[in-house]
């Protein structure tokens, strides 16, 4: 189980490192956005610091998620970004592929949070 958890965490972390790097280097092609998505992206452009911040959070949390000692911190740091991804995919994008990928990643994130719940107890006292 330890090896399985490491492999899942490694893949999860690498996906978010890749997504974060793409925010700066733009090397992955994007599908043609819908008019609603274009509106949203235009709003993101007005808040010029938002996407670089999300990219940095994705890279840092992806790195933290890979290593067992920092996985609990990485799971909590990426959670707000993950919630935003899930909400976007299930409300605006609605592609079956995007919904399945976002759903699986969200479940992995929740699994790691639940698996490390004892590490968060001091925060909740």
């Amino acid at each position: 189980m330890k090896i399985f958890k490491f492999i899942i965490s490694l893949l999860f972390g690498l996906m978010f490192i890749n997504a974060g790097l793409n925010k700066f280097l733009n090397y992955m092609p994007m599908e043609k956005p819908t008019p609603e998505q274009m509106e949203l992206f235009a709003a993101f452009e007005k808040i010029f610091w938002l996407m670089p911040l999300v990219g940095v959070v994705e890279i840092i949390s992806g790195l933290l998620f890979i290593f067992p000692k920092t996985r609990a911190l990485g799971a909590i740091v990426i959670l707000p970004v993950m919630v935003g991804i899930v909400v976007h995919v299930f409300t605006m994008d609605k592609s079956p592929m995007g919904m399945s990928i976002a759903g699986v990643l969200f479940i992995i994130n929740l699994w790691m949070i639940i698996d490390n719940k004892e590490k968060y107890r001091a925060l909740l006292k």
Side-chain angles (χ1 to χ4, degrees):
M1 185 65 161
K2 202 173 191 181
I3 293 172
F4 177 73
K5 192 187 307 183
F6 174 74
I7 291 170
I8 294 295
S9 298
L10 177 66
L11 293 174
F12 183 97
L14 289 174
M15 284 188 75
F16 275 98
I17 292 168
N18 183 46
L21 289 173
N22 187 55
K23 303 261 186 317
F24 297 104
L25 305 175
N26 297 316
Y27 54 87
M28 291 190 305
M30 194 170 106
E31 290 183 20
K32 188 172 191 271
T34 64
E36 295 86 17
Q37 289 174 326
M38 288 296 289
E39 243 181 86
L40 180 67
F41 296 150
F44 286 163
E45 285 178 11
K46 287 184 180 184
I47 309 170
F48 63 92
W49 51 265
L50 183 63
M51 294 316 277
L53 176 64
V54 171
V56 167
V57 168
E58 287 176 341
I59 293 167
I60 290 171
S61 60
L63 288 169
L64 290 170
F65 208 93
I66 292 172
F67 302 103
K69 285 189 176 189
T70 58
R71 191 169 296 145
L73 178 59
I76 288 295
V77 170
I78 198 63
L79 184 62
V81 174
M82 193 69 242
V83 168
I85 291 168
V86 168
V87 169
H88 174 76
V89 168
F90 280 84
T91 58
M92 293 189 88
D93 187 17
K94 297 181 183 169
S95 70
M97 179 66 82
M99 292 165 92
S100 60
I101 291 171
V104 168
L105 289 175
F106 189 64
I107 290 169
I108 292 169
N109 195 15
L110 289 179
W111 171 32
M112 292 306 156
I113 288 172
I114 292 167
D115 194 50
N116 290 291
K117 67 180 178 253
E118 70 281 348
K119 294 181 180 178
Y120 308 123
R121 291 206 192 275
L123 296 172
L124 301 174
K125 288 184 180 181

